[in-house]
Amino acid sequence: MAKFVGIAEETTYGTPVTASEWIDINSESVNPDHAWIDVETAGSRALMNRIPGPYRVSGDIVYVVNPDNITKMLKWLCGSVTTSDDGGSPAVAYKHEFTAPSSSIKSFTLEISPDVGNQSRQIAGCAVRSLAFDAPEARGIVSVTATILGQKETLITPSTPTFSTLRPFAFFDGSLKVAGSEIADAEAFSITLENDIPDDVHVLGSRFLPGIRLQGFTVTGSMDVAFTSWDLYKRFFGSATATGPQVIPETVSIELTLTGDETGSSVTGFENYQLKIEIPKATLDSSEANIDSRSRIVQSLGFTGLYDPTSGYAAKITVVNKNSEP
């Protein structure tokens, strides 16, 4: 039997539902915590009592990204999605547009099956804390790390998984734009979209989290670019023509597009499987382009996304696939 992760959206927070989709993961580190409370008193040098504290389940799921296995996580991260089709009769391809942040997000049930003793871990009341997309080198496959916070878990009989057979996105599928201009020499990238969800909001009368309490939302990332011109260094200073740090640096747009195999649609914008991440307003926070003997120089740039009132979001993620629902 396979080792796998299963997922399904909940109707009511913390009420588990049976997995309806499955992900062929690389690894997971989703672990429970009793948060034991030690009762220390003056009557004994040794502990006499330990009481279970606020229970929580948290950790990461790492897997390679394809056009089918990322949409649910994006929906639960962002909270807002709009779906359109290519207009065919019947439609061949669909475009799912996720924008963040939203005022609320949905919970889901996570099933983790390690192929041990015909049992799975069913974790209810899960929320997506963050999705970190990463292609650390030009020879790699694009992966995502989904950081999860869950309410409680139960052991169940495993479901029967079926996995997407679509080709994962590779680095060679990608193109990167900064301030509207394509960066031809990009060698690596990472982008993290993160919901700030506290795990210490337990209330009287229960050991378990009462719901999803959203706080802030952040967009951060980095890129490595072959250092063959001063263009991005000037952008770091604050403008396309800057020769030194600006008093009021300009923000830049950042757009990462991964274009996969053909969908079979002939409609513009729907011809290929796609994952696009758009950050309309970002600051370039750091720039490193240093000499090391005769080694070639690679410029590493860090960035932070801001909310853009004109666009109405801090980040927009678009997925094109052949599924009518995200």
Side-chain angles (χ1 to χ4, degrees), residues 37-214:
I37 301 170
D38 292 337
V39 182
E40 297 185 35
T41 60
S44 173
R45 290 180 60 208
L47 282 175
M48 299 290 287
N49 284 295
R50 302 189 85 209
I51 299 173
Y55 191 89
R56 64 181 69 89
V57 188
S58 61
D60 296 338
I61 300 169
V62 181
Y63 60 97
V64 296
V65 180
N66 76 31
D68 282 348
N69 66 17
I70 193 59
T71 51
K72 283 291 190 294
M73 289 295 181
L74 283 169
K75 180 184 178 184
W76 298 329
L77 172 90
C78 296
S80 177
V81 58
T82 301
T83 297
S84 58
D85 62 47
D86 62 2
S89 184
V92 174
Y94 297 82
K95 182 178 294 183
H96 311 285
E97 297 176 296
F98 308 85
T99 55
S102 181
S103 59
S104 64
I105 59 175
K106 295 288 289 185
S107 65
F108 65 100
T109 296
L110 178 68
E111 179 188 351
I112 300 176
S113 182
D115 189 19
V116 175
N118 198 36
Q119 288 191 309
S120 288
R121 301 168 58 201
Q122 185 184 65
I123 305 169
C126 290
V128 178
R129 274 180 152 172
S130 67
L131 293 178
F133 296 90
D134 188 40
E137 58 181 19
R139 298 176 299 280
I141 299 296
V142 179
S143 67
V144 66
T145 300
T147 301
I148 305 300
L149 175 64
Q151 185 195 49
K152 56 186 174 182
E153 67 176 285
T154 306
L155 296 181
I156 63 168
T157 301
S159 58
T160 302
T162 56
F163 300 128
S164 170
T165 58
L166 292 180
R167 175 178 72 80
F169 290 113
F171 189 90
F172 61 75
D173 293 324
S175 65
L176 180 66
K177 290 183 179 180
V178 176
S181 297
E182 186 160 352
I183 308 301
D185 296 321
E187 298 185 6
F189 72 84
S190 66
I191 298 176
T192 299
L193 312 168
E194 182 173 7
N195 286 313
D196 182 2
I197 305 175
D199 60 5
D200 59 355
V201 292
H202 298 80
V203 297
L204 292 174
S206 175
R207 292 186 62 205
F208 305 106
L209 288 167
I212 301 172
R213 307 289 194 249
L214 290 177

Side-chain angles (χ1 to χ4, degrees), residues 183 185-187 224-229 296-299:
I183 308 301
D185 296 321
E187 298 185 6
D224 289 349
V225 181
F227 190 54
T228 58
S229 80
R296 67 187 185 89
I297 301 175
V298 176
Q299 183 179 14

